[in-house]
Amino acid sequence: RFIEEKKIEPKEAAREATRDIGLAVLATTLSLVVIFLPVSFMSSISGRFLYQFGITAAVAILVSLLVSFTLTPMMSSRLIRTDDAGKGGHSAPASRKGFYRWIDQFYTVMLAFAMRHRVAVSLIALAVVLSSVPLYRAVKQEFIPTNVDEAEFEVSVNGPEGTNLAVMNETMQAVEKDISSTPGVRLVMANAGGSFLGGVNQGNVYVRITPHEERTFSLGRLWTETKNGHPLNAFRGNYSQQDVMLEVRRRLQKYAPMRTGVRNAPSFNFGAGGRFDIDFNLRGPDIVALAGYAEELRKRSQTLGGIVDADTSLKLNKPELRVEIDRARAADLGVDTSAIATGLRLMVGGEDRASRFRDESINEDYDVQLRLDERDRSDVGAIQRLYVPSSRGGLVRLDNLVKISRDTSPSRVDRLDRERLASVRASVAPGFALADRIEALRGAAAEMHMPAAYTTTVSGRARELERTFTEFIWAFILSIIFMYMILASQFESTIHPVTILLSLPLSVPFALLSLWATGDTLNLYSALGILVLFGVVKKNSILQIDHMNSLRSRGIERYEAIMQGNRDRLRPILMTTLALVAGMMPLALGTGPGAEERRSIAVVVIGGQTLSLLLTLIATPVVYSLLDDLRHTARWRMWAGRAVGLRGRIGSRRRVREAPAEESGVVQEDKTEHIGAAGD
């Protein structure tokens, strides 16, 4: 621009242009750094995710400051050449010719119209800012995207308490066969009997479906199939992982009363219920009442909508044989309680290594396991006919010592903060989000009117969601405070930073509108996108205000400085905006594993920046002029004079307190003079 307008040599233009833009670049860089640094020190699990992001972004931005002051001017002086360079004089830049001329004329007319109707523009901007409230409520919220297509998912099967391993194994074989026959499924790996912390009545299935590149429509695939005479094959594979999961969930309904769950493979664990989208906890003193409340809430969740595969962690129906010892008779017969317990454990529970067997033919040793047959283990009469040793010699039958009865008990008892805990765990259906389903469960729990001793909490993803958004709010507040401090020191003004920061709330409604229009959610990644959006929008305002101040310092009248300054800065603002949008396009349009997570950032930045661009280009100069008028009002000068006078009196009293007693008269005279100057 300096070469085109001022007709000076490229080297001199590089020096002058760098000097002209130096304050804006420095202010932009430092304010960008203070946006990303607070995010790096968040204390939740999200902080561990964002620590590397914040540090990397801050360092990269600081390095870009060095590049913009050294490499960019040097290369511009070497590479930029025009025919009119060095001839002197001023003329319209070549960049305002051609297609850009229409953009410049349109913006000039819009800006002039806005400056004539500043109050109307201010009211429109205020209405846009206030629209953030309903848009925030309309956008769904979750910790991280749950319906992510990674070409793999998990299936859990929980049988009724008391289901043995043989029945569970048979069921899992049937489940495996049904899932394998589902269209799109490539690999199935099932196991029965639970895991290290699981029970015998539990089973899990790992499912891998067709890779993305084989089921995503592409022009290349369409061309290949068309040449082979099968053009429809290019479209038949265009399905998502959610479609396969819905079909698997439908097929598994016939295995009731076994409870099944179909969910994405978790990217990381949040604890006991971290593998589920929803982990809603009920705590209370009575375990029977607690189990009843949890089951009632599970049934109500099925009518709320958006909650699937719900189950409870506390079940009281695990069958057991309860042994009651007649201690008086056992003492009379000389049988110790430990002998009864050891005999029952050995015959019912089993001994993993009762002895060793050596096979001489192959020179190998084997453990000998001892246990009753399954038929005898479940027969109370057979167990009562067992014998236990007596301290007086001989053996005593158990039916002379104990009474065995069938009963049920909890399968496991969890505790949280020294209270018994029952969890309702479920998945979120497509089209819904975690935050609104948690609120729906809280409303359903409140309608149950539980006693005061019974409370509800959330764990896993929901708890991290609440913590993350709370910490993000604090990060935003700290970023705004730090940005104001930096901008105030750079511009040596308390008003211009306010004008710059007012552009931030103007971009938030458009970011939320983009999420709502695309059906995306407000999550960890889209919150990062809002941070990036803040940096871009704020940069535009800094460029505008810095150039307007520079023109006014040269004696140009305010209106002309506003018009010329914003026209000069329109081209770099459009360049950076289009470059950022183009850079985000691959994230927004890309496919593959985890594309839904990456897409959130791109949607926020592209939609928020593109939609808010015109409004910020118009609103920033309007607010600049309004605040400048406010600064020159009599009331504002009176407040500023009082503030400066107060600082002057504080400084004068400090000097009086520090001066020697014999010089008090001179000090008093200086004090009066200082206060007068401060008042002026």
Side-chain angles (χ1 to χ4, degrees):
R1 186 174 64 86
F2 273 44
I3 293 174
E4 293 173 348
E5 290 185 356
K6 299 184 179 182
K7 308 302 180 184
I8 59 179
E9 292 292 336
K11 290 185 178 180
E12 183 64 25
R15 282 193 293 266
E16 290 192 18
T18 303
R19 187 182 304 111
D20 181 70
I21 205 69
L23 176 63
V25 172
L26 183 61
T28 301
T29 302
L30 296 179
S31 56
L32 272 174
V33 170
V34 299
I35 284 180
F36 293 112
L37 277 184
V39 179
S40 304
F41 298 98
M42 294 169 59
S43 60
S44 61
I45 293 179
S46 304
R48 301 304 90 205
F49 275 90
L50 305 180
Y51 175 76
Q52 293 86 352
F53 170 82
I55 297 298
T56 304
V59 173
I61 291 168
L62 290 175
V63 172
S64 72
L65 175 65
L66 177 64
V67 172
S68 64
F69 283 158
T70 56
L71 183 63
T72 302
M74 184 273 293
M75 297 191 68
S76 299
S77 66
R78 296 286 183 178
L79 300 179
I80 297 179
R81 290 289 184 271
T82 61
D83 296 335
D84 298 330
K87 294 183 179 179
H90 294 76
S91 65
S95 60
R96 289 182 182 171
K97 301 176 182 178
F99 175 73
Y100 181 76
R101 179 169 61 91
W102 299 98
I103 300 177
D104 179 68
Q105 290 179 355
F106 173 75
Y107 177 63
T108 303
V109 172
M110 290 291 297
L111 183 59
F113 179 82
M115 293 300 296
R116 291 194 303 268
H117 303 84
R118 295 185 299 170
V119 176
V121 173
S122 302
L123 292 177
I124 293 175
L126 180 61
V128 170
V129 173
L130 294 179
S131 67
S132 301
V133 178
L135 285 173
Y136 177 77
R137 295 176 179 175
V139 174
K140 299 167 182 157
Q141 303 173 25
E142 57 187 350
F143 178 61
I144 57 176
T146 54
N147 297 321
V148 179
D149 192 339
E150 294 181 330
E152 60 180 7
F153 59 91
E154 294 180 348
V155 178
S156 62
V157 181
N158 294 326
E161 294 297 329
T163 304
N164 57 30
L165 184 58
V167 174
M168 209 57 212
N169 183 49
E170 182 180 352
T171 302
M172 294 308 298
Q173 289 179 355
V175 169
E176 182 179 8
K177 184 177 180 180
D178 273 345
I179 296 178
S180 300
S181 62
T182 304
V185 174
R186 287 288 183 88
L187 181 145
V188 178
M189 184 178 67
N191 65 80
S195 57
F196 174 69
L197 295 177
V200 177
N201 63 321
Q202 296 178 356
N204 295 281
V205 185
Y206 171 79
V207 183
R208 179 172 286 278
I209 64 176
T210 306
H212 292 78
E213 58 271 14
E214 297 183 22
R215 55 187 168 89
T216 303
F217 167 74
S218 64
L219 294 178
R221 184 181 172 198
L222 178 60
W223 172 255
T224 303
E225 297 293 345
T226 302
K227 288 197 304 181
N228 296 334
H230 304 285
L232 292 180
N233 289 343
F235 300 93
R236 288 174 182 169
N238 192 15
Y239 56 87
S240 68
Q241 176 178 314
Q242 296 302 319
D243 298 330
V244 181
M245 294 173 66
L246 288 174
E247 175 62 19
V248 170
R249 187 176 287 116
R250 185 189 66 81
R251 294 190 175 203
L252 296 183
Q253 291 177 355
K254 63 183 179 181
Y255 291 96
M258 292 194 176
R259 295 179 181 177
T260 59
V262 184
R263 57 184 177 273
N264 284 64
S267 54
F268 53 91
N269 204 343
F270 290 93
R275 304 180 70 86
F276 299 87
D277 296 337
I278 297 175
D279 188 13
F280 195 85
N281 302 326
L282 292 87
R283 296 183 295 178
D286 186 75
I287 193 170
V288 177
L290 195 61
Y293 289 136
E295 181 62 22
E296 175 65 21
L297 184 60
R298 185 195 69 83
K299 293 178 180 179
R300 294 192 177 206
S301 68
Q302 298 176 350
T303 63
L304 296 176
I307 299 177
V308 295
D309 305 333
D311 200 357
T312 60
S313 62
L314 179 59
K315 300 179 177 65
L316 305 180
N317 58 347
K318 183 175 184 179
E320 68 177 12
L321 296 178
R322 183 161 298 179
V323 180
E324 297 180 7
I325 303 175
D326 189 338
R327 296 184 179 272
R329 178 172 292 186
D332 292 340
L333 296 175
V335 178
D336 191 48
T337 304
S338 61
I340 300 175
T342 302
L344 290 172
R345 180 187 61 81
L346 181 65
M347 295 301 172
V348 179
E351 180 68 29
D352 291 339
R353 187 176 177 181
S355 180
R356 297 281 290 177
F357 169 74
R358 183 172 183 81
D359 191 344
E360 297 293 346
S361 61
I362 58 175
N363 199 25
E364 289 286 345
D365 291 343
Y366 299 94
D367 292 336
V368 177
Q369 298 179 351
L370 179 64
R371 194 181 188 188
L372 288 176
D373 289 337
E374 182 179 356
R375 179 187 58 186
D376 295 330
R377 290 199 306 268
S378 59
D379 186 0
V380 176
I383 296 176
Q384 288 180 337
R385 290 193 296 270
L386 294 175
Y387 287 86
V388 294
S390 171
S391 59
R392 299 179 182 177
L395 300 174
V396 181
R397 273 180 49 151
L398 275 179
D399 54 5
N400 294 321
L401 304 171
V402 301
K403 180 181 179 182
I404 302 178
S405 59
R406 297 185 181 274
D407 205 344
T408 58
S409 66
S411 57
R412 55 181 291 175
V413 180
D414 298 323
R415 289 178 174 84
L416 179 65
D417 295 336
R418 297 185 177 183
E419 289 185 295
R420 292 185 175 93
L421 173 72
S423 300
V424 177
R425 294 167 180 168
S427 299
V428 178
F432 295 86
L434 178 60
D436 59 282
R437 294 305 89 197
I438 289 294
E439 290 302 318
L441 280 177
R442 282 174 172 160
E447 294 175 357
M448 292 166 56
H449 303 293
M450 294 181 292
Y454 296 86
T455 58
T456 61
T457 57
V458 291
S459 298
R461 296 173 185 264
R463 182 179 62 181
E464 289 304 317
L465 170 67
E466 296 175 351
R467 292 181 59 187
T468 297
F469 275 84
T470 301
E471 292 185 355
F472 257 114
I473 291 175
W474 282 109
F476 288 155
I477 293 175
L478 288 175
S479 299
I480 292 174
I481 293 175
F482 293 154
M483 280 191 291
Y484 180 86
M485 295 168 62
I486 289 175
L487 295 174
S489 62
Q490 291 288 317
F491 286 96
E492 297 182 354
S493 170
T494 58
I495 294 297
H496 296 322
V498 175
T499 309
I500 295 172
L501 295 178
L502 283 177
S503 62
L504 302 183
L506 284 176
S507 62
V508 173
F510 295 104
L512 297 176
L513 180 63
S514 302
L515 292 174
W516 176 80
T518 57
D520 213 324
T521 60
L522 184 60
N523 50 61
L524 176 64
Y525 304 109
S526 53
L528 280 181
I530 293 178
L531 279 179
V532 177
L533 182 62
F534 279 1
V536 178
V537 173
K538 170 187 55 59
K539 179 266 304 176
N540 296 343
S541 299
I542 291 176
L543 289 175
Q544 293 172 275
I545 292 176
D546 174 67
H547 195 41
M548 287 187 289
N549 288 339
S550 176
L551 293 177
R552 293 185 66 185
S553 65
R554 301 173 192 171
I556 301 178
E557 190 266 334
R558 188 185 72 180
Y559 179 80
E560 294 298 329
I562 290 176
M563 297 299 297
Q564 180 181 341
N566 285 277
R567 290 182 64 194
D568 290 342
R569 289 295 181 252
L570 177 62
R571 180 170 60 167
I573 289 175
L574 291 178
M575 289 165 59
T576 54
T577 300
L578 294 177
L580 183 65
V581 169
M584 288 290 177
M585 277 298 178
L587 292 180
L589 303 178
T591 59
E596 292 80 3
E597 297 177 345
R598 300 187 296 271
R599 189 174 300 138
S600 299
I601 298 180
V603 168
V604 169
V605 175
I606 293 175
Q609 176 61 21
T610 304
L611 297 176
S612 66
L613 178 62
L614 179 61
L615 184 58
T616 52
L617 286 174
I618 296 297
T620 298
V622 168
V623 174
Y624 174 85
S625 63
L626 289 175
L627 292 181
D628 189 67
D629 290 341
L630 177 63
R631 186 175 60 175
H632 290 87
T633 58
R635 184 177 296 275
W636 179 271
R637 290 199 300 270
M638 179 183 66
W639 289 344
R642 289 179 180 178
V644 176
L646 178 61
R647 291 198 299 269
R649 286 193 293 272
I650 294 175
S652 299
R653 291 185 185 125
R654 187 178 296 113
R655 288 198 301 275
V656 170
R657 195 176 296 114
E658 295 173 354
E662 60 270 14
E663 297 180 2
S664 60
V666 177
V667 171
Q668 183 66 29
E669 183 179 352
D670 291 342
K671 169 186 172 185
T672 305
E673 194 172 278
H674 178 78
I675 293 176
D680 294 339

